[in-house]
Structures are given as structure tokens and as C-alpha cells.
Amino acid sequence: AAALPKFDVGVALATREASGKTLNALAGVVPELIGGSADLAPSTNTLLKGEADVAPGEFAGRNLHFGIRELAMAAVGNGLALHGGVRPYVATFLVFADYLRPALRLSALMRLPVVYVFTHDSVAVGEDGPTHQPIEHLASLRAIPGLVVVRPADARETAAAWRVALERRDGPTVLVLTRQKLPVQAAAEVEVARGATVAAEASGSVPAVVLLATGSEVALAHAVRLELEATGVPTRVVSAPSLELFARQDRAYRDVVLGPGHALRVAVEMASPQGWHRWAGDDGLVIGLERFGASAPGEEVARRLGFSVESVVATIRTELATRQVTPVASWVPTSLEGVRAGRIARVESLHVPQRLNARDSALWGERHAKDVARRLGWLDAPARTLPDLPALERLAAALASDGARTLY
């Protein structure tokens, strides 16, 4: 942990760049670290500085140049891991993961600790267009048994992701990294090893909305939270870099992170939405992509495909509006309409609602007024209970985290 680089809050850094800094910092204390890319070392930031290249007859170096041979590259990574004594990593763009998938699948099947570095992780790649913009790739990688996929939100999570990858001994790890710069978030804790953590809490600690996001979309979620909070909607942001690691946590921890059952859970990821309803729930929202991207500047592509603060906020507000309580429809037989109208007229003539609010016990007649006056405290129950709801929510979350399931 001491070897991991430190990153200042607010600094903008692409996670591929943060990965390169972390990789080179680790190379000094992990001499068995060796790897390379499929002719994309500068783009994936995977060159070990100051280290020699492996070449014909010269095997003392630590930088491997595989050429444009993704499948062969991953197969070599497997061979190095099987041999032992080294910790191999291989790298390419995320969209090219399909080229090496058979070898990656064997990494998982044989439980080999190969680290896969996949950069240029979303439609934010921009001008390269749909051929280079991954859509279905995250979902397809997450479907491989034994593979851990980590998509960090910023430089700090990227450094922690490398630690997770190197500490694993029972299978491969994929690091999914951005081309574009992302701000370093001011999260109190970086819990990559647990898969997900609360990155920003709702006002009052009781969220009405829980935003679940990975990678670059965490920064978007923070901006969305500010907009919703400004209009009185308590909103929590959850950074979920690894759904596989999160799924391995105990239910109590997952419940605490995901928030109360009444909150609207909204998953935000610039990729296929497949798999997200497990975490958002059947009543939640999943804001993803079910189409290919487009060729334009990355920010413009994201905005036009619905990944802007304005678009996400509007979608959430529309969903919240549908959750408003509506009166239950009633039906009265025709024969009782006269009776009903008479009763309503009497209630109105006696000003019953106003007198109840004023705690007027005389409504019950002089004979019962004194006794009723002592029993009208129930009318104050909602007002008395409302301020205590946040404390009750926190108590329930704490009990759940301690393993409580039923209260008697």
C-alpha cells in the first residue's frame, strides 16, 4: 500500500494515466511484474519506464511488445502465469477484448492471476466512432465466471484497483479505464476491494434516490446529486467499481450501501444495461445504452445519448412523479348517494377537519368532551414522528449491518 501513488482531490486525470503511474510505482517493489500491450503501449499507458524490452535472445527485460496479436498476447499471459515466478499483465482497448476472449476465458477457467488492462472504455472515446466505442463488452466480461471486472471512478480508485488485482491469486482481473480525464473525488474511503461504497451521502442520511455508477459516470452522478439536493430530493451516490466483488459481500453490507427499500435506485453506466436490475431492483431505473455510439467529440456523444446532468435529472424526476401517492378510487351504490351527500354536508357544516386540527373535543358532545380531550394526542403522532425518521433509518441500517433480520 505504501508504494501506491497519492492523488490530490480535484486533479483531473484519465484513469489510464493514473494506471500508468500506479503500474510504474508498483514495478519498483514488485520485481516479478512483467507485461505489455498489443501495439498500444502509449495509449494504454502500460510501458515500464527504465526497463528493457524483451527481444530475440534478450530476456532480461520486463516490457513485452506483442504486436497486433490480442489472442496470442493473452495466451502468452496465461503461459507466464502457469510457469510461475512472474505476475503478467496484458493491455489493449476494451473494444478489442473480443479478439482475445478465448484466452481470457481460459484465464478464468484455470484461475490464473493475469491482469488485463482495457482502456478507452466507453462512447466517450469520441471521434473514433462506433467501431471503437464499447457497448456490450462490460456485460459480456461480467458474465465470465471467476473474472473480476473493475471500472474505477478516478485515480484513487485506479490505484486501489491495481492493489486488488495483484492481491488476487485465484483468477484474472480486468481493469477498465478511461481515455478522458476525470476529477479525483473527495470520497472519505476508497472501498474497491468491497466492490461498492457510498461516495456521497444524502442530506439527513436518508436518501430518496440512490445513484449507482461506475467509472466516469460517478462524476456525472455527483453532479446529478447536487441538482436533486438543491430541489429537496435527498440523494446518495454509490461508486460501484466491481459488481463481482460487491456481490461477494455479506447481505448486511450490501443493504447498507444500497440504502432503504423506499428509495429510488438509479444505475448509470454508458454501456449495455444488462445485469444492472439485480442492483437497481425491478422498481429502479437503469440508464444505459441499447444502441451503438456515434462519431463526435466524446462529451457531445455522451450528451446526445442521454448522459448529461439535465437528461439524467429529468429522467429521475419523471420517475419520482409517477411514485406520488394517488387517492384510492371509491364507488358508492346509487341507493346510498343521498345518505352520503347528507353526511358530507353535515361534516362540512360542523367544520369537522378544522375543529379536529384545533383539537376541539366538543365535537364529541359535552358528555364526552373531557374524556376525549385526553385522547387526542394521536393527532400529533405524524408531526412528532417525522423528525425521528432519519434516526430510525440509521438505527435500522446499523441493525442490518450487525446481521439483524427480524425485529420482535
Side-chain angles (χ1 to χ4, degrees):
L4 295 175
K6 308 299 180 185
F7 299 99
D8 295 330
V9 173
V11 173
L13 203 66
T15 54
R16 63 169 174 161
E17 186 179 351
S19 171
K21 292 179 181 294
T22 303
L23 178 60
N24 275 276
L26 290 170
V29 295
V30 187
E32 61 269 33
L33 198 57
I34 181 174
S37 73
D39 202 34
L40 289 169
S43 296
T44 58
N45 290 81
T46 47
L47 191 70
L48 297 181
K49 297 175 182 177
E51 298 291 342
D53 299 336
V54 173
E58 298 179 10
F59 304 106
R62 299 168 69 182
N63 287 309
L64 297 167
H65 297 280
F66 295 100
I68 308 174
R69 302 179 183 90
E70 289 84 359
L71 178 60
M73 174 181 68
V76 170
N78 287 343
L80 290 170
L82 284 167
H83 180 277
V86 293
R87 288 302 305 271
Y89 66 88
V90 297
T92 188
F93 292 173
L94 176 57
V95 78
F96 299 147
D98 287 341
Y99 295 150
L100 56 75
R101 189 179 183 88
L104 188 155
R105 187 172 184 272
L106 287 175
S107 298
L109 193 152
M110 293 186 285
R111 300 182 180 181
L112 300 177
V114 180
V115 180
Y116 290 83
V117 179
F118 293 152
T119 66
H120 296 61
D121 67 339
S122 72
V123 294
V125 167
E127 290 88 346
D128 285 345
T131 57
H132 285 59
Q133 294 169 352
I135 300 293
E136 73 281 13
H137 299 72
L138 282 171
S140 68
L141 290 172
R142 287 169 178 155
I144 298 176
L147 180 65
V148 168
V149 179
V150 185
R151 188 173 183 239
D154 61 9
R156 287 182 173 178
E157 283 195 2
T158 302
W162 265 105
R163 179 176 181 176
V164 167
L166 291 182
E167 287 180 346
R168 288 198 73 206
R169 294 289 188 273
D170 60 348
T173 304
V174 167
L175 306 184
V176 180
L177 309 171
T178 66
R179 176 190 186 186
Q180 74 275 25
K181 295 180 183 294
L182 302 176
V184 176
Q185 303 294 336
E189 294 183 70
V190 177
E191 288 281 8
V192 172
R194 304 197 76 174
T197 190
V198 177
E201 186 53 285
S203 56
S205 299
V206 183
V209 173
V210 177
L211 296 168
L212 310 169
T214 75
S216 55
E217 290 78 272
V218 174
L220 172 62
H222 279 290
V224 169
R225 173 184 174 273
L226 292 178
E227 286 290 320
L228 292 173
E229 288 274 354
T231 55
V233 181
T235 305
R236 171 186 293 180
V237 174
V238 172
S239 178
S242 178
L243 301 184
E244 296 80 29
L245 294 177
F246 188 51
R248 294 178 186 180
Q249 306 307 307
D250 59 74
R251 180 178 174 183
Y253 178 78
R254 298 199 306 265
D255 288 348
V256 169
V257 171
L258 293 174
H262 64 75
L264 171 63
R265 294 176 186 167
V266 184
V268 185
E269 189 173 65
M270 288 193 287
S272 168
Q274 187 171 347
W276 270 107
H277 278 292
R278 175 182 180 183
W279 307 110
D282 292 337
D283 296 329
L285 284 177
V286 179
I287 300 175
L289 289 172
E290 295 187 87
R291 53 155 289 174
F292 292 112
S295 181
E299 290 185 4
E300 178 72 5
V301 174
R303 183 182 66 81
R304 286 177 177 264
L305 294 182
F307 289 87
S308 66
V309 174
E310 297 76 15
S311 180
V312 174
V313 167
T315 301
I316 291 172
R317 285 181 174 154
T318 299
E319 180 64 23
L320 289 175
T322 67
R323 293 180 167 222
Q324 298 300 317
V325 177
T326 54
V328 177
S330 60
W331 175 79
V332 178
T334 305
S335 59
L336 295 178
E337 280 289 353
V339 176
R340 173 177 174 272
R343 297 287 172 84
I344 291 175
R346 178 166 172 75
V347 166
E348 291 175 347
S349 69
L350 293 174
H351 305 290
V352 170
Q354 296 88 338
R355 291 173 69 182
L356 272 176
N357 284 332
R359 312 301 189 261
D360 183 0
S361 58
L363 270 171
W364 281 264
E366 185 177 344
R367 178 182 174 185
H368 302 290
K370 188 174 181 179
D371 184 48
V372 168
R374 296 195 301 268
R375 302 184 182 185
L376 290 180
W378 61 271
L379 291 168
D380 299 317
R384 289 199 310 267
T385 305
L386 190 60
D388 295 328
L389 282 179
L392 290 172
E393 290 273 12
R394 287 192 293 272
L395 174 61
L399 290 171
S401 67
D402 287 337
R405 288 290 171 269
T406 306
L407 299 179
Y408 296 96

